[in-house]
Amino acid sequence: MNAAEPKSATRRRFSAVVRGRAAIALLVTACLVLVGVAISGRAPLPAGLQFTQVGHWVYSNELQSAIHVDGGTNQVDARASVPGAEQGSQVAQGDRSGYVVERSRISMFDKSTLSVENTATPPATETPVVLESVGGPYLVYRNAGQIARLGDPTATVPAGGPLSPPVVTSTGTLWVHRIDNGSLCELPKGTTRLACPAQLPAGHGGLLALVDDQPVVLDTAADTLSPIGKDGLGEPTAIGVKLPATAQVANSAVDGRLAVADPERNQLHLIDTTGLGQSRPAAKPVSVELPRDGRYAGPVATTHVVALVDETRNEVRTYDAKGSLKSTKKMPGKSDKTRLARGEDNRVYVDSADGAHVLVVNGDSGAVTEVAVDEQARNQTTSAAAPPPSSERADNPPPASPPPSKPSAPPVAAATAPGAPRNVSAAAGDGSATVNWVAAADNGARVTAYHVSWPGGSTTVGGGARSASVTGLAKGSSYTITVVAENSAGRGSGASARVLIQGPPAGAPGVSVNAKLGGQVSASWTEPDLHGATLLHYVVSATGKGDQQVSGTSADFSGMSGAVTVTVRAVTRYGSGPALTGATGRGSATVPTEPPTIKITKVLSWDVVLYVSVTVDGKGSETTCEVTGNQGGKSGSVPCKGSLDIKVTPGNWAGALTLTATVKSAGGSGTDTWSGTPQVKPPGSSGGVPIWLGPIALLGARREKDKRGKEKGVS
């Protein structure tokens, strides 16, 4: 690369070089062995076929090779020579190729031939985060804000700013968090542009993780956990522990709890995620004390255990979701810095800095096994290159023999029915379920279909599918769903998962709140949409009060003050399933501190109608007002607040006029009285000389008006 070459050209060159790999790769039916051993039984890979990567590749500094470790057998079983790579290089794998990743170079080798095919220049000169997944692998250059996808299609995607540690789902969607502006962005499999559906508030730190294979963000400023969806952030759940900005979160949850390492307190917190998005409090976190003088890398989670490395002691520690220590094991030799990675085979692999040793963490039990990488690779190489027996040396040649006949082709093993699909799981929906699995062993013939069955129905999906949707299931019922793989030799054995079908939680009740003088507050609500579930009870709380269970649709509170908000949630159940807490309904009111007051400020008369101006102070409560006269006539009860005019219908006025204004609220009532002669003036008029009329004149004016009305009616 020319030093003057622009970065954009470098990125284009990077993508073009990686795309230049062989168009057709071969599927090896025999086990991969060390370099020099013949590979047989290869066949073209069907387009679009996806694999769960088995095992882990590590770069050995001494042997200058990428070496494959089978986590199931804890044995070295393949070696690709990649000379000249820098110490501590990472190795990533895709469906067909492996990649030795250095800061200044990426070397691609074919996993079937174990030979280097190409090299490329990375988009940034820093050590990236490597994520192996469907559609990947991905290299995330956090400081430079660049994402390199080595899978099909290869691409370099700019993120626009520095990133926190990324995560990737089982479907190949990469999620990243922009540190500078809080954006939470996704890069789905096969796409080349980020979409950012959510954003953290300014000044809040965020750590990404997966819960049930869905992205969540841990807000280290608010100490909350929120799901991320297409419409933004979901309802936050308090995690129950204060975290520093330096906290480190695991890639995914372990049996309903998310592991978070606190390096400042040397603690491992296991945070409850089972109530995420369900509007109910989370369970108290489990906190584990770690050795006080330790310096920790990780954590990294599998299905049932979480692993982290105490770099001070050069030791791997594993825990389950309850915080129980499952295993500890030291990394052999001296290592400046270890590297943890979760494989797609549900194991954690811990590499020594020189690649000479790998510790394999069992994803179910937490047991840790050492693999002496360099030693195994050297022994296998020595065995393959052993010198001939002394009788075959040049100074003692063997007797002549006839020329060898042409070797026959090795026998091809007959294909058998596939194995059972692995890791079958089912997630309940609203009268439905989504079933997921890991590919079954093909046993010599490509899997062409997966058959999914349950009591009352079945469906079939293609051999490349890893999930299926099941609909028409009865709410409140449990189902056993079985998945069976099929190839040209027939159907294999099935694997099952059990799931309880539920509908959605209840909707939000409509809540009304009434507050009275003396701190008495009463609330009532309407029954929400239960979606066909059985109502168990309501959970009701008011400002400053704890939750209480209520079977009816009303509740009273005493000793309240100020602004009061009452929340109501319906708790329901489908059949024998767990209780579900519904959406929250809210209502508010202000507790009055004293009765309301009213003041008559002006009385106007026009056309035998009185207009009484009043000023009302409700003391924080809703009020109604009424004006009555001593000679008949009244306004009726009207809502009132602040300054307003109240219209009083005609009464039998004669002599001195007295008006009484009354205001009422939940805090009590108040009155004001006015006596005198009204000012005659059209309502809403401005200026002019007021006309003052005594009671007799007012009565005459009224009679004159009545007379004119009668005459008009006669004519």
Side-chain angles (χ1 to χ4, degrees):
M1 171 183 164
N2 190 331
E5 187 176 6
K7 289 185 177 179
S8 59
T10 302
R11 296 190 186 103
R12 291 195 297 270
R13 181 169 172 265
F14 168 75
S15 297
V17 170
V18 179
R19 290 192 190 97
R21 63 187 181 182
I24 300 177
L26 300 178
L27 177 65
V28 181
T29 58
C31 294
L32 286 175
V33 292
L34 296 177
V35 173
V37 179
I39 308 295
S40 63
R42 294 181 292 181
L45 281 174
L49 189 62
Q50 299 172 353
F51 295 92
T52 294
Q53 307 296 345
V54 177
H56 174 71
W57 289 85
V58 62
Y59 187 77
S60 167
N61 296 330
E62 180 177 342
L63 301 181
Q64 293 287 284
S65 299
I67 298 177
H68 186 263
V69 175
D70 185 333
T73 63
N74 298 313
Q75 295 294 314
V76 167
D77 59 9
R79 173 178 169 182
S81 177
V82 186
E86 63 188 11
Q87 180 168 333
S89 295
Q90 301 177 86
V91 185
Q93 63 174 327
D95 288 346
R96 302 172 175 85
S97 301
Y99 307 86
V100 176
V101 181
E102 306 174 57
R103 291 170 58 90
S104 59
R105 180 181 66 170
I106 300 173
S107 301
M108 181 178 68
F109 60 89
D110 188 289
K111 288 168 64 176
S112 61
T113 63
L114 299 177
S115 59
V116 175
E117 294 183 323
N118 223 324
T119 61
T121 301
T125 55
E126 63 178 88
T127 301
V129 176
V130 175
L131 296 171
E132 295 178 347
S133 73
V134 172
Y138 293 94
L139 308 180
V140 180
Y141 295 83
R142 293 178 51 197
N143 295 331
Q146 297 286 340
I147 303 168
R149 181 173 54 226
L150 305 181
D152 191 18
T154 57
T156 299
V157 181
L163 305 171
S164 66
V167 294
V168 63
T169 70
S170 63
T171 60
T173 297
L174 180 76
W175 283 88
V176 295
H177 163 237
R178 280 270 302 271
I179 297 174
D180 54 348
N181 64 9
S183 295
L184 300 165
C185 309
E186 64 172 336
L187 182 67
K189 172 191 170 187
T191 61
T192 58
R193 181 172 296 180
L194 287 171
C196 302
Q199 189 169 20
L200 284 173
H204 286 228
L207 297 172
L208 290 171
L210 299 175
V211 174
D212 296 330
D213 205 34
Q214 298 300 313
V216 298
V217 61
L218 179 64
D219 187 333
T220 54
D223 294 315
T224 59
L225 191 66
S226 302
I228 307 171
K230 298 296 183 183
D231 299 324
L233 290 180
E235 190 73 18
T237 298
I239 61 175
V241 65
K242 182 68 178 174
L243 293 176
T246 55
Q248 302 161 259
V249 67
N251 50 298
S252 61
V254 175
D255 292 328
R257 288 189 178 268
L258 187 63
V260 182
D262 182 344
E264 296 185 9
R265 297 183 182 87
N266 283 48
Q267 290 179 323
L268 178 68
H269 303 291
L270 296 157
I271 297 168
D272 178 34
T273 64
T274 57
L276 192 64
Q278 297 186 20
S279 299
R280 65 179 178 85
K284 184 179 179 180
V286 175
S287 296
V288 178
E289 297 294 333
L290 301 173
R292 303 302 297 176
D293 58 345
R295 186 180 71 252
Y296 296 95
V300 174
T302 67
T303 305
H304 300 298
V305 296
V306 60
L308 69 166
V309 174
D310 183 344
E311 295 180 334
T312 303
R313 295 169 177 78
N314 203 26
E315 178 181 75
V316 175
R317 304 173 69 89
T318 63
Y319 298 86
D320 63 15
K322 297 179 181 178
S324 299
L325 181 63
K326 305 301 292 184
S327 182
T328 62
K329 191 172 184 65
K330 287 187 176 293
M331 176 71 74
K334 295 182 179 180
S335 179
D336 296 332
K337 190 172 183 62
T338 54
R339 180 180 291 119
L340 294 87
R342 173 174 172 168
E344 285 193 86
D345 56 0
N346 196 40
R347 295 180 176 89
V348 175
Y349 293 88
V350 186
D351 303 343
S352 63
D354 58 4
H357 300 272
V358 171
L359 298 183
V360 182
V361 178
N362 185 291
D364 293 321
S365 67
V368 184
T369 304
E370 176 201 346
V371 178
V373 176
D374 285 358
E375 181 181 349
Q376 285 195 29
R378 278 194 299 267
N379 289 343
Q380 293 186 35
T381 303
T382 301
S383 175
S390 59
S391 59
E392 298 182 9
R393 294 176 183 171
D395 56 354
N396 188 19
S401 59
S405 60
K406 184 177 180 180
S408 59
V412 178
T416 59
R422 294 177 292 134
N423 297 350
V424 176
S425 63
D430 185 4
S432 64
T434 300
V435 189
N436 295 280
W437 61 87
V438 173
D442 59 20
N443 291 344
R446 181 174 63 89
V447 174
T448 56
Y450 286 95
H451 303 278
V452 182
S453 61
W454 63 94
S458 64
T459 187
T460 298
V461 296
R466 298 296 177 265
S467 67
S469 295
V470 176
T471 59
L473 304 180
K475 297 176 183 178
S477 298
S478 292
Y479 289 85
T480 298
I481 303 177
T482 302
V483 184
V484 176
E486 181 180 13
N487 63 8
S488 59
R491 296 190 184 189
S493 56
S496 302
R498 191 167 181 82
V499 63
L500 174 65
I501 304 303
Q502 299 186 133
V511 182
S512 298
V513 181
N514 184 33
K516 298 180 180 180
L517 195 67
Q520 300 298 313
V521 173
S522 61
S524 61
W525 54 88
T526 58
E527 181 180 285
D529 185 355
L530 304 180
H531 303 294
T534 300
L535 176 65
L536 301 180
H537 56 262
Y538 293 98
V539 176
V540 184
S541 66
T543 303
K545 302 287 186 179
D547 289 346
Q548 58 175 294
Q549 292 186 7
V550 178
S551 58
T553 56
S554 64
D556 296 319
F557 303 88
S558 60
M560 309 300 290
S561 62
V564 175
T565 298
V566 177
T567 62
V568 183
R569 295 169 291 169
V571 179
T572 59
R573 173 180 286 136
Y574 291 91
S576 60
L580 301 176
T581 302
T584 302
R586 291 180 172 85
S588 300
T590 300
V591 176
T593 57
E594 55 184 297
T597 61
I598 189 167
K599 177 68 176 176
I600 299 175
T601 59
K602 185 187 296 184
V603 179
L604 299 177
S605 173
W606 180 254
D607 203 14
V608 299
V609 176
L610 295 180
Y611 296 88
V612 183
S613 299
V614 298
T615 300
V616 178
D617 183 357
K619 307 298 183 182
S621 298
E622 298 295 327
T623 54
T624 59
C625 294
E626 184 178 48
V627 178
T628 59
N630 65 327
Q631 299 178 28
K634 64 179 181 178
S635 65
S637 181
V638 295
C640 54
K641 182 180 181 180
S643 298
L644 72 158
D645 294 334
I646 300 176
K647 182 178 178 181
V648 181
T649 57
N652 185 21
W653 302 328
L657 181 61
T658 300
L659 300 174
T660 300
T662 303
V663 60
K664 296 180 180 180
S665 73
S669 63
T671 61
D672 188 33
T673 301
W674 178 92
S675 295
T677 301
Q679 181 182 1
V680 178
K681 188 178 182 183
S685 66
S686 60
V689 179
I691 303 172
W692 295 89
L693 298 176
I696 296 177
L698 286 172
L699 181 59
R702 179 181 178 185
R703 288 174 178 172
E704 181 62 24
K705 182 179 184 299
D706 292 341
K707 181 179 178 180
R708 288 197 303 270
K710 290 178 181 179
E711 289 174 352
K712 184 177 180 181
V714 171
S715 63

